[in-house]
Amino acid sequence: MKVAILVGSVRIGRQSHKIAHHVERRLQERGIAVDLIDLAADPLPILEERSGRDPELQARVERLSERLQAADALLLVTPEYHGSFSGVLKNALDYFWEEFNRKPIGVVAVSAGKMGGINASTQLQHVILSLGAFPLPTKLLVPEVQSVFDESLQVKSEPVAKLTTRFLEEFLWFAHAVVQAKRAPQSSWLSVA
Ligand SMILES: Cc1cc2nc3c(=O)[nH]c(=O)nc-3n(C[C@H](O)[C@H](O)[C@H](O)COP(=O)(O)O)c2cc1C
């Protein structure tokens, strides 16, 4: 099982990467291979063409495509901006399609307010359907994100730590179910009455 985490925030002074790294560590503790894709480190310009004419951009898009392709399941991490998920994340998703097909995808949303990015998360789940992927019904919402982490980027909020555990249990159950179904020979499920 390999999980890719796509961080949809590149803002100077951002908070979202903190929960992304926390989730990465929690998965790694369970022995799961994680590839954290940070759009701040691998920026994508506003989409003009998927492959583009710029060879440097083309190479970057291909590398990202391979990393997404290699993942069995994905987590999308987004801030809530004006009642939705980030434009940076949507722009990155628009570069790809096949890379997401038939993959289980979980949503992690953060906000400065008390609602934990609920609007961002439900709208992103909707978009995941259009990627031909399977949105995990459960999401991880992180309200008042600015007070969740200490200076060494450890979670100091007990509720967020517990919610993360529950979310990852759901995510891994779902991801394993989809991975197993893909590995099973067609004859084993075609004959189910
Ligand atoms: C453009 C913009 C719009 C925002 N809109 C909302 C919002 O609608 N609801 C909310 O709770 N917080 C909102 N915030 C606060 C963010 O959720 C908060 O800054 C959070 O840390 C964002 O994640 P980031 O730090 O990774 O950018 C907004 C912030 C920005 C920069």
Side-chain angles (χ1 to χ4, degrees), residues 134-150:
F134 308 127
L136 176 70
T138 307
K139 44 219 178 182
L140 177 58
L141 302 180
V142 184
E144 298 178 320
V145 63
Q146 63 282 359
S147 48
V148 166
F149 296 89
D150 65 20

Side-chain angles (χ1 to χ4, degrees), residues 9 11 13-17 79-83 110-113 145:
S9 169
R11 192 177 64 83
R14 66 188 176 157
Q15 299 285 329
S16 304
H17 66 300
E80 177 143 321
Y81 290 160
H82 296 326
V110 315
S111 75
V145 63

Side-chain angles (χ1 to χ4, degrees), residues 67-130:
R67 291 170 72 183
L68 292 169
Q69 204 72 259
D72 297 300
L74 285 107
L75 289 169
L76 304 181
V77 180
T78 184
E80 177 143 321
Y81 290 160
H82 296 326
S84 187
F85 56 92
S86 69
V88 161
L89 180 59
K90 182 62 166 64
N91 183 58
L93 295 178
D94 289 343
Y95 271 84
F96 308 102
W97 183 68
E98 281 183 341
E99 291 81 351
F100 301 117
N101 272 203
R102 291 183 132 194
K103 288 190 181 170
I105 303 186
V107 170
V108 179
V110 315
S111 75
K114 291 191 189 300
M115 302 303 282
I118 182 77
N119 292 314
S121 68
T122 47
Q123 290 172 35
L124 189 49
Q125 284 177 319
H126 207 130
V127 169
I128 289 168
L129 295 171
S130 296

